[in-house]
Amino acid sequence: KAGVTQTPRYLIKTRGQQVTLSCSPISGHRSVSWYQQTPGQGLQFLFEYFSETQRNKGNFPGRFSGRQFSNSRSEMNVSTLELGDSALYLCASKSSTGNTEAFFGQGTRLTVV
Amino acid sequence: AQTVTQSQPEMSVQEAETVTLSCTYDTSESDYYLFWYKQPPSRQMILVIRQEAYKQQNATENRFSVNFQKAAKSFSLKISDSQLGDAAMYFCAYRSAGGKLIFGQGTELSVKP
């Protein structure tokens, strides 16, 4: 069974641009969550999607948005990039049955210059 | 709001020895889950062990075990017979039933040969 796949692995963008990150969950998993990891703030929850609906949202500005498709793949978009958005963005998928653990992808390293 | 605290930014252990990583959390909920994740240099978060709050018995996974003290809101990880491959950043995480993961700041574990 393939794991959680995130693309791209690395990304360099300029301030003011926008970026879209992609996450393909483990087959059969319907819940996808996104986390931002920075040296200063650590790991912070961005949002969770389940069956194409946002189920939970963290404390991030509206520049951060996401969506989930019918095949459970999810995208995260950040508009008007700021230097502080440079981070490792991790995606995690979870089975819809019961409270099972989340499985993480390898992340997308975003650098904003 | 729930919080997770890891008071040891760095720990070191000799190969084949035992090390304990500390974690405390704060919550008013009675139903929740606790996890230890390992993040090696590859940056992928790997689940090490999980504990359901309603279970009094401490979870064990091979060389990894936890000491779960619900009243004290403490959840430490013990690694026995430490191996070089155990060197990584370890994160303690809290999740309420169906909710988001809340992570501690992490403990960087080094293993000396």
Side-chain angles (χ1 to χ4, degrees):
Chain A
K1 208 175 201 181
V4 179
T5 304
Q6 291 188 244
T7 56
R9 292 289 311 279
Y10 303 91
L11 207 48
I12 300 176
K13 289 287 188 178
T14 304
R15 270 182 304 175
Q17 286 186 314
Q18 74 165 11
V19 67
T20 300
L21 313 181
S22 178
C23 172
S24 293
I26 291 172
S27 178
H29 285 192
R30 294 164 61 191
S31 168
V32 174
S33 298
W34 289 88
Y35 293 83
Q36 181 197 64
Q37 185 176 21
T38 60
Q41 299 298 316
L43 282 149
Q44 292 185 288
F45 171 77
L46 279 155
F47 27 64
E48 179 190 7
Y49 286 87
F50 181 82
S51 293
E52 302 179 66
T53 301
Q54 189 179 88
R55 193 160 69 169
N56 214 340
K57 189 177 190 306
N59 189 26
F60 278 81
R63 300 185 297 107
F64 292 81
S65 63
R67 59 177 174 170
Q68 187 179 33
F69 301 95
S70 58
N71 62 357
S72 294
R73 188 177 71 86
S74 177
E75 288 183 347
M76 189 192 95
N77 184 276
V78 187
S79 62
T80 319
L81 283 165
E82 300 177 358
L83 296 178
D85 297 333
S86 295
L88 179 70
Y89 290 89
L90 291 164
C91 165
S93 79
K94 190 162 67 74
S95 169
S96 58
T97 55
N99 286 297
T100 54
E101 60 265 22
F103 294 88
F104 283 82
Q106 289 188 290
T108 294
R109 170 74 68 184
L110 171 65
T111 302
V112 182
V113 297
Chain B
Q2 299 87 9
T3 59
V4 178
T5 302
Q6 293 178 251
S7 58
Q8 307 154 316
E10 298 176 346
M11 290 283 283
S12 180
V13 64
Q14 205 72 33
E15 194 176 7
E17 296 294 308
T18 296
V19 64
T20 298
L21 308 184
S22 301
C23 173
T24 58
Y25 60 95
D26 189 26
T27 184
S28 58
E29 299 176 331
S30 58
D31 184 19
Y32 53 87
Y33 299 80
L34 296 165
F35 304 87
W36 278 97
Y37 280 92
K38 168 185 176 180
Q39 188 178 43
S42 69
R43 309 304 283 177
Q44 181 158 17
M45 299 284 277
I46 302 165
L47 179 67
V48 175
I49 199 165
R50 60 175 280 174
Q51 175 81 42
E52 291 88 344
Y54 64 85
K55 289 187 178 179
Q56 291 186 332
Q57 187 173 8
N58 289 326
T60 299
E61 288 288 341
N62 300 313
R63 298 183 294 107
F64 299 87
S65 62
V66 298
N67 183 3
F68 174 47
Q69 301 288 328
K70 190 171 184 178
K73 295 178 183 174
S74 170
F75 183 61
S76 61
L77 173 69
K78 185 172 84 171
I79 305 174
S80 304
D81 185 25
S82 296
Q83 301 175 0
L84 295 178
D86 293 335
M89 185 72 85
Y90 286 81
F91 291 95
C92 177
Y94 169 102
R95 194 182 81 222
S96 57
K100 64 185 179 184
L101 282 168
I102 299 168
F103 289 90
Q105 288 296 99
T107 296
E108 185 164 9
L109 177 67
S110 59
V111 181
K112 298 178 180 177

